[in-house]
Every structure is written in C-alpha cells, then in structure tokens.
Amino acid sequence: MRINHNINAINAWRSLGSTNTAMGKTLEKLSSGLRINRAGDDAAGLAISEKMRSQIKGIDMAVKNSQDGISLIQTAEGALTETHSILQRMRELAVQSSTDTNTDVDRDQLQSEFTELKDEIDRIAKTTQFNNKNLLDGSLKGTRDGDAKIVSAGAAGFEVSAFSASAVSDASFVIEVGQFDGNTTSQIDVKVTMITAGGSSSVTTVATTGNITIGTVSINWDTSLIADISDFDGVLATNAVVDGGAAISYAKDISSADAVTLQIGANEGQTARVGFDSTQAEDLGLTSITKIDSKEDASFAIGAIDAAISKVSTFRSKLGAVQNRLEHTVSNLGVASENLTAAESRIRDADMAAEMMKFTKQQILLQSSNSMLAQANQVPQNVLQLLR
C-alpha cells in the first residue's frame, strides 16, 4: 500500500473536474438557451449563424424600408387624389362656361373659381412632402434616366432635344438617349433620327456601336468614354458633322435622374427605383388655359384639362403598380426572414430537452465523483492498521 500517491483519489478528482466543467457548459446553455455561446462551442456553426443573423437583420430592415416606401407612395397618391378632384371641378366649370346661357358676369364668377383651383394645383405640387422631400414638384422625377446635351458647337450650332420627336431650331437630326434601370453596367440605347423636309428616317443602335452615318450626318461614338453609364460626364458623341458644317460634341447628362431609390433587400444592389412626375399646372399642360371667361376659351380648356386628367391618371396608375409591388416585396421578405430564422435557430439554439438530459447525468456523476473522492481519501488510513 502506498500513501505518497493516492491513485484512486487522483482518478476520482480528475473525473470530478471533468464533470464539473461539463456541468458549467450545460448550465450556460440552459440559462442562455443557446447551443453556441462562444466560438469554441462550434466554430463552423458560429460563422454560418452569424452570416444568417446579418441576413435576417438586413431583411427585417428591408421590410421596414419597403413599408416606408409604401407610405411615401401613399402620401403622393393621396395628394394626387385631390389634384384629380380639382381637375374634374375645373373641367366642370369649363363645360359650364362653354354654353351661351351664361352672361359675361356669370363667366367672370366661374373664372374666379377656375383661377383659384389652378393655383391650388400648383400649391399641392410644391408642398406635398414626405420626410421633408418634395414629391410632386419634379425634383424626384427620375423617369428620364438618360439625356443628351450639347457641349460645344461651331457655326452650325443647334440644340439637341432628348426624347423629342423632332429637332429644335435648324437641327438636322435628334439624338435620343434611352432610359436605363439604374444598373451601372447597363448600356444606353441611342436613337439617331435624321430630319428631312419630306419626313424622317431613323436608326436605332447601342452606344458602344462604332461609326454611324445617316444622310450627311456622321457620328463617331467614343466607346472608351461611354462604356460605363455611371460616367455621367462622359462624351456621348464626337465629330458629329451636320450638313458639312462644324463638328459638334455631345455629352450624356442624367443629373435629372434623381428618382427615389428604395433598399428592399438585405444585400447590395437589391433596390427599387420610383420616379415622381411633376404635377404642377405647367407640367400638366394647363399653362395655356388661363381663362374660361369666353365660350371659345372655355371650349379649348376642356380638351387641355382632359389631357391633364389623363396624365394624372397615368401617374397614379404607375404609383399604384409600385405600391402593389412593394406589398408583395414585404410579404416575400417576411417569408424569407421566417425561414432564415428557423435555419439559424437549428444551428445556434439549444435543445432544452437534450440539455436537461445531460444536466441530470452530470448531476449524478458529480455526486458520485464527490462520494468516490471521499472514499478514496479514506483508503490510505488503512495503513495505520499495519503500524499498530
């Protein structure tokens, strides 16, 4: 029998320490509800679950962003509801003023209300805001994501009107830069239309195409500068010779493309763009109908107001379509968040029933280890029996 080293006691003490450590980890899992409390619990599982957590939080915020977008659209659409009502009343006044059963005095009274209503359309367009952003004054139009402007011109200088059916001044052709969807890798569709006395001939090409000749017009696309649509100041066309005149240079200009961009996803680039047209009287084509105090002016106003009503209806329809899209986005994001949360839970959360089983086992082992350590410590005392 040996007394310097009590192997039985050392064995029991080692088991007691191991069980005590396992008991601490189990208690930690039971108290936190998490299977992974530190990287050492499951290094790979921790890395995977952290990525899932970032996605879940991003998706939840994207839901909020989408809901804010819906509120923004509803704000604009609510204002347009009133604009529609005003236009309908203005048309009603114009129709009333068009009949000869009215006297000049009657028409003056109708004119007074007509003018006030027209001013109110402008006021609504200029003051409708969401979070201090003007919605209907054209500052967030964003539907013309491409444009063309003149940079320099010689003796044969002229203006280029983008998205125009015909040239301005004495121009012999029009450059139209197509819209893009906000993706900086998209190419710009360019349409060059030759204007002639007998009509027009046209060709549609992509901006990265080489030289184009239409009639007497020769255009050399500078592909190195227009390959990236994010290069807002890049030259769009060089050496554009007009009827043998001086060379003209053009640049793309999308500074007016300040549409609202909504982050509707958890990752980069998952966005939706929506533009808000101007609904000021001038942009609705109401500038020319200042009066309805004569039968002729009133009759003319009816057609102009019909066109304005059509514009507002089209704009409201577009906003309604975007709102419906965002509502589906919210639903889809909700499902994605739920499924990702379930997946993250399977990796990170503790199975409470399984941990309680381990806890019960460790309690028994801890008690038995304590008991066996006490018994092992009594064994060396048997040596005293030999010394009597």
Side-chain angles (χ1 to χ4, degrees):
M1 300 181 68
R2 298 174 178 84
I3 62 172
N4 284 332
H5 295 90
N6 188 341
I7 301 303
N8 291 330
I10 292 173
N11 193 324
W13 173 77
R14 179 181 58 78
S15 297
L16 177 61
S18 177
T19 302
N20 193 53
T21 300
M23 172 74 80
K25 290 183 178 180
T26 301
L27 285 172
E28 186 177 37
K29 292 176 182 178
L30 287 171
S31 60
S32 67
L34 296 173
R35 184 180 71 86
I36 303 175
N37 291 282
R38 59 179 63 83
D41 293 334
D42 184 351
L46 176 70
I48 294 171
S49 67
E50 284 298 336
K51 286 194 297 183
M52 287 185 173
R53 281 188 172 185
S54 66
Q55 285 291 299
I56 292 168
K57 291 182 180 295
I59 288 174
D60 291 344
M61 185 52 65
V63 169
K64 183 179 182 301
N65 290 345
S66 299
Q67 291 171 337
D68 288 343
I70 291 173
S71 297
L72 180 143
I73 290 172
Q74 288 175 334
T75 300
E77 210 270 329
L80 291 177
T81 300
E82 199 57 38
T83 299
H84 247 153
S85 298
I86 292 173
L87 288 172
Q88 296 288 3
R89 176 57 181 165
M90 289 174 66
R91 189 182 192 283
E92 184 180 358
L93 293 173
V95 171
Q96 184 177 356
S97 183
S98 297
T99 181
D100 279 335
T101 57
N102 293 294
T103 65
D104 290 341
V105 174
D106 296 331
R107 290 195 173 101
D108 287 340
Q109 301 304 318
L110 296 174
Q111 176 67 51
S112 177
E113 183 179 354
F114 188 89
T115 302
E116 291 297 326
L117 292 176
K118 185 178 175 182
D119 291 342
E120 180 61 13
I121 289 178
D122 273 336
R123 191 198 68 80
I124 291 174
K126 293 176 181 178
T127 61
T128 299
Q129 293 183 334
F130 183 87
N131 195 25
N132 293 329
K133 288 181 178 290
N134 290 328
L135 300 181
L136 302 176
D137 64 349
S139 60
L140 298 177
K141 188 172 183 179
T143 52
R144 276 177 28 177
D145 291 331
D147 207 339
K149 67 178 181 181
I150 192 166
V151 174
S152 62
F158 58 86
E159 297 180 359
V160 169
S161 176
F163 307 101
S164 172
S166 61
V168 182
S169 301
D170 296 326
S172 58
F173 68 92
V174 181
I175 294 181
E176 300 182 27
V177 182
Q179 298 181 1
F180 74 107
D181 59 6
N183 184 352
T184 57
T185 61
S186 297
Q187 293 177 323
I188 315 173
D189 289 334
V190 178
K191 183 179 181 181
V192 182
T193 304
M194 181 68 181
I195 306 299
T196 63
S200 66
S201 59
S202 63
V203 62
T204 302
T205 184
V206 178
T208 51
T209 304
N211 297 340
I212 299 173
T213 300
I214 307 177
T216 59
V217 179
S218 177
I219 297 177
N220 177 32
W221 302 114
D222 190 339
T223 58
S224 64
L225 292 176
I226 64 175
D228 187 355
I229 200 166
S230 63
D231 180 15
F232 296 163
D233 296 324
V235 175
L236 181 64
T238 59
N239 302 326
V241 181
V242 183
D243 294 333
I248 310 297
S249 296
Y250 300 92
K252 58 188 175 185
D253 174 19
I254 63 173
S255 59
S256 63
D258 192 20
V260 175
T261 300
L262 303 174
Q263 181 71 30
I264 58 172
N267 302 319
E268 180 183 3
Q270 295 179 345
T271 60
R273 287 166 53 87
V274 55
F276 291 84
D277 295 339
S278 172
T279 57
Q280 298 182 61
E282 178 181 0
D283 297 298
L284 292 179
L286 300 179
T287 306
S288 59
I289 54 169
T290 57
K291 296 181 178 181
I292 58 168
D293 54 359
S294 70
K295 180 177 66 175
E296 292 75 15
D297 288 339
S299 297
F300 175 77
I302 295 174
I305 294 173
D306 283 339
I309 291 173
S310 178
K311 288 182 179 179
V312 175
S313 297
T314 300
F315 183 28
R316 289 183 67 184
S317 177
K318 183 180 74 172
L319 292 181
V322 176
Q323 180 177 336
N324 289 338
R325 173 191 175 181
L326 291 177
E327 288 174 352
H328 285 294
T329 298
V330 170
S331 298
N332 179 59
L333 290 174
V335 173
S337 177
E338 179 183 344
N339 291 332
L340 271 176
T341 301
E344 195 267 343
S345 175
R346 285 190 292 270
I347 296 173
R348 195 102 178 215
D349 291 349
D351 186 334
M352 301 299 284
E355 295 301 330
M356 279 304 301
M357 289 172 58
K358 293 178 183 179
F359 179 71
T360 302
K361 180 185 75 172
Q362 289 157 1
Q363 274 188 319
I364 296 172
L365 289 175
L366 188 63
Q367 293 171 11
S368 63
S369 295
N370 279 322
S371 177
M372 291 307 101
L373 181 59
Q375 294 295 327
N377 287 334
Q378 295 295 323
V379 171
Q381 297 181 15
N382 292 333
V383 176
L384 297 177
Q385 300 297 327
L386 300 176
L387 300 177
R388 289 180 180 177

Coordinates of all heavy atoms in Angstrom, one line a residue, residues 106-136:
D106 N -71.6 86.0 -65.4 CA -71.6 84.6 -64.9 C -70.2 84.0 -65.2 O -69.6 83.3 -64.3 CB -72.6 83.7 -65.6 CG -74.0 84.2 -65.3 OD1 -74.2 84.7 -64.2 OD2 -74.9 84.0 -66.1
R107 N -69.7 84.2 -66.3 CA -68.4 83.7 -66.7 C -67.3 84.3 -65.8 O -66.3 83.6 -65.5 CB -68.1 83.9 -68.2 CG -69.0 83.0 -69.1 CD -68.4 83.0 -70.5 NE -69.1 82.1 -71.4 CZ -70.1 82.4 -72.2 NH1 -70.4 83.7 -72.4 NH2 -70.7 81.5 -73.0
D108 N -67.4 85.5 -65.4 CA -66.4 86.1 -64.5 C -66.4 85.4 -63.2 O -65.3 85.2 -62.6 CB -66.7 87.6 -64.3 CG -66.4 88.5 -65.6 OD1 -65.6 88.0 -66.4 OD2 -66.9 89.6 -65.7
Q109 N -67.5 85.0 -62.7 CA -67.6 84.3 -61.5 C -67.0 82.9 -61.6 O -66.2 82.4 -60.7 CB -69.1 84.1 -61.0 CG -69.8 85.4 -60.8 CD -69.1 86.3 -59.8 OE1 -68.6 85.9 -58.8 NE2 -69.0 87.6 -60.1
L110 N -67.2 82.3 -62.7 CA -66.6 80.9 -63.0 C -65.1 81.1 -63.1 O -64.4 80.2 -62.7 CB -67.2 80.3 -64.3 CG -68.7 80.0 -64.3 CD1 -69.2 79.6 -65.6 CD2 -69.0 79.0 -63.2
Q111 N -64.7 82.2 -63.8 CA -63.3 82.4 -64.0 C -62.6 82.6 -62.6 O -61.4 82.1 -62.4 CB -63.1 83.7 -64.8 CG -61.6 84.1 -65.0 CD -60.8 83.1 -65.8 OE1 -61.3 82.7 -66.9 NE2 -59.7 82.6 -65.3
S112 N -63.2 83.2 -61.7 CA -62.6 83.4 -60.4 C -62.3 82.1 -59.7 O -61.2 81.9 -59.2 CB -63.5 84.3 -59.5 OG -63.0 84.4 -58.2
E113 N -63.3 81.2 -59.7 CA -63.0 79.9 -59.1 C -62.0 79.1 -59.8 O -61.2 78.4 -59.3 CB -64.3 79.1 -59.0 CG -64.2 77.7 -58.3 CD -65.5 77.0 -58.2 OE1 -66.5 77.5 -58.5 OE2 -65.4 75.8 -57.7
F114 N -62.1 79.1 -61.2 CA -61.2 78.4 -62.0 C -59.7 78.8 -61.7 O -58.8 77.9 -61.6 CB -61.5 78.7 -63.5 CG -60.8 77.9 -64.5 CD1 -61.3 76.6 -64.9 CD2 -59.5 78.3 -65.0 CE1 -60.6 75.9 -65.8 CE2 -58.9 77.5 -65.9 CZ -59.4 76.3 -66.4
T115 N -59.4 80.1 -61.6 CA -58.1 80.6 -61.3 C -57.6 80.1 -59.9 O -56.4 79.6 -59.8 CB -58.0 82.1 -61.3 OG1 -58.5 82.6 -62.6 CG2 -56.6 82.6 -61.0
E116 N -58.5 80.1 -58.9 CA -58.1 79.6 -57.6 C -57.8 78.1 -57.6 O -56.8 77.7 -57.0 CB -59.2 79.9 -56.6 CG -59.4 81.4 -56.3 CD -58.2 82.0 -55.7 OE1 -57.5 81.4 -54.9 OE2 -57.9 83.2 -55.9
L117 N -58.6 77.4 -58.3 CA -58.3 75.9 -58.4 C -57.0 75.6 -59.1 O -56.2 74.7 -58.7 CB -59.5 75.3 -59.2 CG -60.8 75.3 -58.4 CD1 -61.9 74.6 -59.4 CD2 -60.7 74.5 -57.1
K118 N -56.7 76.4 -60.1 CA -55.4 76.2 -60.8 C -54.2 76.5 -59.9 O -53.2 75.8 -59.9 CB -55.4 77.1 -62.1 CG -54.2 76.8 -63.0 CD -54.3 77.7 -64.2 CE -53.0 77.6 -65.0 NZ -53.1 78.5 -66.2
D119 N -54.4 77.6 -59.1 CA -53.3 77.9 -58.2 C -53.1 76.8 -57.1 O -52.0 76.5 -56.7 CB -53.6 79.2 -57.5 CG -53.5 80.4 -58.5 OD1 -52.9 80.2 -59.5 OD2 -54.0 81.5 -58.2
E120 N -54.3 76.2 -56.7 CA -54.2 75.1 -55.7 C -53.5 73.9 -56.3 O -52.8 73.2 -55.5 CB -55.6 74.8 -55.3 CG -55.7 73.7 -54.2 CD -55.0 74.1 -52.9 OE1 -54.6 75.3 -52.7 OE2 -54.7 73.2 -52.1
I121 N -53.6 73.6 -57.5 CA -52.9 72.5 -58.1 C -51.4 72.7 -58.0 O -50.6 71.8 -57.6 CB -53.3 72.3 -59.6 CG1 -54.7 71.8 -59.7 CG2 -52.3 71.4 -60.3 CD1 -55.2 71.6 -61.2
D122 N -50.9 74.0 -58.2 CA -49.5 74.3 -58.1 C -49.1 74.2 -56.6 O -48.0 73.7 -56.3 CB -49.2 75.7 -58.6 CG -48.9 75.7 -60.1 OD1 -48.5 74.7 -60.6 OD2 -49.1 76.8 -60.7
R123 N -49.9 74.7 -55.7 CA -49.6 74.6 -54.3 C -49.4 73.2 -53.8 O -48.5 72.9 -53.1 CB -50.7 75.3 -53.5 CG -50.2 75.6 -52.0 CD -51.4 75.9 -51.1 NE -52.3 74.7 -51.0 CZ -52.1 73.7 -50.2 NH1 -51.0 73.6 -49.4 NH2 -52.9 72.6 -50.1
I124 N -50.4 72.3 -54.2 CA -50.3 70.9 -53.8 C -49.0 70.3 -54.4 O -48.3 69.5 -53.7 CB -51.5 70.1 -54.3 CG1 -52.8 70.6 -53.6 CG2 -51.3 68.6 -54.2 CD1 -54.0 70.0 -54.1
A125 N -48.7 70.6 -55.6 CA -47.5 70.0 -56.2 C -46.2 70.5 -55.5 O -45.2 69.7 -55.4 CB -47.4 70.4 -57.7
K126 N -46.2 71.7 -55.1 CA -45.0 72.3 -54.5 C -44.8 72.0 -53.0 O -43.7 72.1 -52.5 CB -44.9 73.8 -54.7 CG -44.8 74.2 -56.2 CD -44.9 75.7 -56.3 CE -44.8 76.1 -57.8 NZ -44.9 77.6 -58.0
T127 N -45.9 71.6 -52.3 CA -45.8 71.4 -50.9 C -46.0 70.0 -50.4 O -45.9 69.7 -49.2 CB -46.9 72.4 -50.2 OG1 -48.2 72.0 -50.6 CG2 -46.6 73.8 -50.5
T128 N -46.4 69.1 -51.3 CA -46.6 67.7 -50.8 C -45.2 67.1 -50.5 O -44.3 67.1 -51.4 CB -47.2 66.9 -51.9 OG1 -48.5 67.4 -52.2 CG2 -47.4 65.4 -51.5
Q129 N -45.0 66.7 -49.3 CA -43.7 66.2 -48.8 C -43.8 64.9 -48.1 O -44.9 64.6 -47.5 CB -43.0 67.2 -47.9 CG -42.6 68.5 -48.6 CD -41.9 69.5 -47.7 OE1 -42.0 69.4 -46.5 NE2 -41.0 70.3 -48.2
F130 N -42.7 64.2 -48.1 CA -42.6 63.0 -47.2 C -41.2 63.1 -46.6 O -40.2 63.1 -47.3 CB -42.8 61.7 -47.9 CG -42.7 60.5 -47.1 CD1 -43.8 60.0 -46.4 CD2 -41.5 59.8 -46.9 CE1 -43.7 58.9 -45.6 CE2 -41.4 58.7 -46.1 CZ -42.5 58.2 -45.4
N131 N -41.1 63.2 -45.3 CA -39.8 63.4 -44.6 C -39.0 64.5 -45.2 O -37.8 64.4 -45.5 CB -39.0 62.1 -44.7 CG -37.9 62.0 -43.7 OD1 -37.9 62.7 -42.7 ND2 -36.9 61.2 -44.0
N132 N -39.7 65.6 -45.4 CA -39.1 66.8 -46.0 C -38.6 66.7 -47.4 O -37.9 67.6 -47.9 CB -37.9 67.3 -45.1 CG -38.3 67.8 -43.7 OD1 -39.4 68.3 -43.6 ND2 -37.4 67.6 -42.8
K133 N -39.0 65.7 -48.1 CA -38.7 65.5 -49.5 C -40.0 65.9 -50.4 O -41.0 65.4 -50.2 CB -38.4 64.1 -49.9 CG -37.0 63.6 -49.4 CD -36.7 62.2 -49.8 CE -35.4 61.7 -49.3 NZ -34.3 62.4 -50.1
N134 N -39.8 66.9 -51.3 CA -40.9 67.3 -52.2 C -41.1 66.1 -53.2 O -40.2 65.6 -53.8 CB -40.5 68.6 -52.9 CG -40.5 69.8 -52.0 OD1 -41.3 69.8 -51.0 ND2 -39.7 70.7 -52.3
L135 N -42.4 65.7 -53.3 CA -42.7 64.6 -54.1 C -43.2 64.9 -55.5 O -43.0 64.2 -56.5 CB -43.7 63.7 -53.4 CG -43.3 63.1 -52.1 CD1 -44.4 62.3 -51.5 CD2 -42.0 62.4 -52.2
L136 N -43.9 66.0 -55.6 CA -44.7 66.3 -56.9 C -44.2 67.6 -57.6 O -44.9 68.0 -58.5 CB -46.2 66.4 -56.6 CG -46.8 65.2 -55.9 CD1 -48.2 65.4 -55.6 CD2 -46.6 63.9 -56.8

